């Protein structure tokens, strides 16, 4: 354990430094940088670690873990924080460090070699579905997707249109983190779309090493950030694989060890995301009460949602149109409500929420590629959703009777026009 602890700690901090460069911390109460610097100061003074120094290394590692736990509440969604937490777990395993023990003075005991973790060569460990053969019921799968301007379908089949400009966590559980960055589509517009996506697959037993996948606008790689296409050097490394379906446009990631499939596409200039995941994995969170920013699970915050129903008042329509109408920025192509409807019907014949999203995006952006974004999002739903009766979602309204179809359609069109005006302002 001599030089190994020092060298792997150095390697861990090189990786963490890379995360800090990619995701520079904004002014926030998250104190992960303080935790990092304290651990570095405690471990960088001994270039050669003997037994006693190795025990001190474990003590410093436990202190580091304790520091990250203290700041966990304020660091939700911070990728530097999550990278540190999972790096700590890896170092604990590599150097036989017990999670229970002193965080100030070293405990004088020697760990026998090979006693740190149980190993198993059973293939079922790295194949989620096979592990369920022993159970009475098969796993239940759920779906989440993000596309367009942007539109979110949560794991519970709630459909939302959100503003969410900047970086937001889509998934944050014990197995992986997914973060997206949304930027304005047009200068001065509130309409946004996804231009960056980061996925962190956490190290898992004998199956996979920690892997990072990152896509950006005009760059959809068919490999992880380290150049590999699988889960690393562990026994079950092939339980995590990337497959390129269409060069530069469509990749698929299979994470069989957690029964998860992820689809990432670039449509036009922007990215779309879709995932199929077992409910057990979806809900594998350390502190469910603090998962408010886990968008795929909880949805967008109320103040970030665009609700068509709140814009159905004719009085609000008159006031909003008078106030905002003259200052609309130019768009690449001008669509009326009728021409947007006609364009979206070419790809989406059923007037569900995917169709409505297509119309909304054409009116807010004028970019015909958003038609394809809605189309491919629905194609991914057909492939990934486990309940074929829930593929189409329709707007939820109150007191809508059979005789109110025409009126409700007009009301939706009026509300959509108001939302478009709000987004373009």
């Amino acid at each position: 354990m001599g030089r190994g602890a020092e060298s792997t700690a150095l390697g861990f901090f090189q990786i963490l430094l890379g995360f800090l460069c990619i995701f520079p911390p904004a002014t926030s109460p998250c104190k992960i940088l303080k935790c990092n610097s304290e651990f570095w100061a405690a471990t960088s003074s001994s270039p050669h670690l003997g037994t006693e120094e190795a025990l001190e290394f474990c003590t410093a590692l436990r202190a580091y873990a304790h520091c990250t736990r203290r700041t966990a509440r304020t660091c939700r969604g911070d990728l530097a924080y999550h990278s540190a937490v999972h790096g700590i777990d890896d170092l604990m395993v590599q150097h036989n460090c017990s999670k229970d023990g002193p965080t100030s003075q070293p405990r004088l005991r020697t760990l026998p070699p090979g006693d740190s973790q149980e190993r198993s060569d059973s293939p079922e460990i790295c194949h989620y579905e096979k592990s369920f053969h022993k159970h009475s019921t098969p796993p239940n799968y759920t779906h989440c997707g993000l596309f367009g301007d942007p539109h979110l379908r949560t794991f519970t089949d709630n459909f939302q249109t959100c503003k969410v400009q900047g970086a937001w966590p889509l998934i944050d559980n014990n197995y992986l983190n997914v973060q997206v960055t949304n930027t304005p589509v047009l200068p001065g517009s509130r309409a946004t779309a996804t231009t960056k996506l980061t996925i962190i697959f956490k190290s898992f037993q004998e199956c996979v090493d920690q892997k990072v996948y990152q896509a950006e606008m005009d760059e959809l790689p068919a490999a992880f950030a380290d150049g590999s296409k699988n889960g690393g050097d562990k026994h079950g490394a092939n339980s995590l694989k990337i497959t390129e379906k269409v060069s530069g446009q469509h990749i698929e990631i299979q994470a069989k060890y957690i029964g998860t499939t992820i689809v990432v596409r670039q449509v036009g200039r922007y990215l779309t995301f879709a995932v199929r995941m077992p409910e057990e994995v979806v809900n594998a969170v350390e502190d469910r009460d603090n998962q408010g920013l886990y968008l795929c699970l909880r949805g967008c915050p109320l103040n970030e949602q665009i609700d068509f129903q709140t814009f159905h008042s004719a009085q609000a329509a008159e006031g909003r149109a008078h106030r905002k109408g003259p200052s609309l920025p130019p768009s690449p192509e001008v669509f009326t409500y009728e021409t947007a409807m006609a364009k979206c019907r070419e790809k989406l014949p059923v007037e569900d929420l995917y169709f409505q999203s297509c119309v909304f995006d054409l009116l807010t952006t004028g970019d015909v590629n958003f038609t394809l974004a809605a189309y491919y999002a629905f194609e991914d739903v057909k492939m990934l959703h486990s309940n074929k009766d829930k593929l189409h979602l329709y707007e939820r309204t109150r007191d809508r009777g059979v005789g109110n179809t025409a009126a409700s359609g007009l009301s939706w069109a009026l509300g959509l026009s108001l939302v478009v005006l709000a987004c373009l302002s």
Side-chain angles (χ1 to χ4, degrees):
M1 281 180 56
R3 289 170 167 263
E6 190 264 348
S7 61
T8 52
L10 178 60
F12 166 67
F13 269 93
Q14 289 173 337
I15 294 172
L16 189 57
L17 181 60
F19 269 98
L20 293 175
C21 293
I22 297 170
F23 305 101
T27 301
S28 76
C30 180
K31 303 298 182 184
I32 189 61
L33 293 181
K34 179 175 181 291
C35 299
N36 295 343
S37 61
E38 288 177 351
F39 176 68
W40 181 249
T43 58
S44 61
S45 59
S46 300
H48 305 289
L49 299 183
T51 301
E52 186 172 341
E53 288 81 9
L55 291 172
E56 291 177 353
F57 179 85
C58 289
T59 297
L61 203 54
R62 283 189 290 268
Y64 190 14
H66 182 65
C67 183
T68 60
R69 286 194 295 271
R70 286 201 310 269
T71 193
R73 185 181 295 272
T74 58
C75 290
R76 294 290 181 185
D78 187 303
L79 288 183
Y81 163 77
H82 288 293
S83 180
V85 168
H86 303 303
I88 290 169
D89 290 341
D90 287 345
L91 290 175
M92 285 278 193
V93 172
Q94 291 173 24
H95 302 291
N96 298 335
C97 296
S98 170
K99 292 184 178 181
D100 299 318
T103 57
S104 56
Q105 297 296 326
R107 180 169 57 187
L108 298 177
R109 70 181 182 89
T110 303
L111 294 175
D115 193 41
S116 61
Q117 181 178 338
E118 257 186 46
R119 293 171 60 92
S120 173
D121 294 322
S122 170
E124 288 190 357
I125 291 178
C126 302
H127 198 299
Y128 184 82
E129 291 183 353
K130 286 183 179 178
S131 70
F132 271 82
H133 289 176
K134 67 187 78 170
H135 301 296
S136 57
T137 56
N140 186 36
Y141 289 93
T142 59
H143 163 74
C144 176
L146 186 79
F147 68 98
D149 181 18
H151 309 284
L152 172 71
R153 180 171 180 159
T154 70
F155 283 127
T156 54
D157 289 320
N158 288 325
F159 197 98
Q160 301 169 351
T161 297
C162 308
K163 293 175 284 188
V164 290
Q165 182 173 336
W168 291 81
L170 276 182
I171 298 175
D172 180 11
N173 62 37
N174 294 343
Y175 301 98
L176 78 163
N177 302 109
V178 180
Q179 178 170 293
V180 293
T181 300
N182 304 311
T183 58
V185 174
L186 296 171
S189 170
R190 295 181 189 176
T192 63
T194 303
T195 55
K196 189 173 185 177
L197 171 74
T198 301
I199 308 172
I200 300 177
F201 294 91
K202 304 174 186 180
S203 177
F204 181 72
Q205 295 186 18
E206 293 302 312
C207 301
V208 298
D209 298 317
Q210 179 167 301
K211 291 289 179 177
V212 178
Y213 179 80
Q214 189 168 56
E216 298 187 46
M217 188 167 58
D218 299 324
E219 185 177 351
L220 189 69
F224 294 110
D226 62 2
S228 65
K229 293 193 174 186
N230 69 0
D233 298 325
K234 294 185 177 180
H235 297 319
N238 285 331
S239 62
L240 176 63
K241 297 179 77 172
I242 292 182
T243 303
E244 186 175 59
K245 297 294 187 178
V246 180
S247 178
Q249 298 180 34
H250 179 192
I251 66 102
E252 184 176 300
I253 303 176
Q254 291 281 351
K256 291 184 178 180
Y257 65 101
I258 50 174
T260 295
T261 301
I262 294 174
V263 175
V264 182
R265 298 178 187 266
Q266 174 160 324
V267 184
R269 300 176 60 229
Y270 302 105
L271 303 174
T272 70
F273 170 85
V275 62
R276 179 180 188 259
M277 183 179 290
E279 280 188 351
E280 180 185 22
V281 177
V282 168
N283 295 308
V285 294
E286 294 177 1
D287 188 355
R288 190 178 177 88
D289 291 337
N290 288 321
Q291 292 295 317
L293 292 180
Y294 181 167
L295 299 188
C296 275
L297 184 63
R298 294 291 184 87
C300 299
L302 286 176
N303 63 344
E304 295 288 335
Q305 293 182 29
I306 299 173
D307 185 358
F308 294 156
Q309 297 303 312
T310 63
F311 293 89
H312 281 180
S313 164
Q315 183 177 2
E318 184 179 355
R320 179 75 71 175
H322 176 74
R323 212 164 47 242
K324 301 296 184 180
S327 60
L328 298 181
S331 59
E333 185 173 339
V334 177
F335 283 92
T336 65
Y337 177 69
E338 290 75 16
T339 58
M341 293 266 289
K343 187 66 178 176
C344 291
R345 283 197 187 98
E346 293 177 8
K347 288 290 186 180
L348 299 160
V350 178
E351 294 190 16
D352 59 1
L353 284 173
Y354 290 89
F355 174 85
Q356 293 180 17
S357 298
C358 172
V359 175
F360 177 84
D361 289 353
L362 289 184
L363 292 174
T364 55
T365 70
D367 185 346
V368 294
N369 286 306
F370 281 92
T371 303
L372 290 175
Y375 168 75
Y376 284 124
F378 186 67
E379 290 298 299
D380 291 337
V381 170
K382 290 194 290 186
M383 180 180 73
L384 300 174
H385 204 291
S386 59
N387 189 340
K388 302 308 177 185
D389 294 328
K390 291 186 177 181
L391 299 183
H392 294 282
L393 294 178
Y394 299 89
E395 187 179 7
R396 296 178 180 178
T397 58
R398 297 179 180 178
D399 301 327
R400 176 179 292 184
V402 175
N404 293 331
T405 303
S408 61
L410 179 62
S411 177
W412 177 83
L414 175 62
L416 178 58
S417 300
L418 288 165
V419 176
V420 169
L421 289 171
C423 288
L424 288 172
S425 63

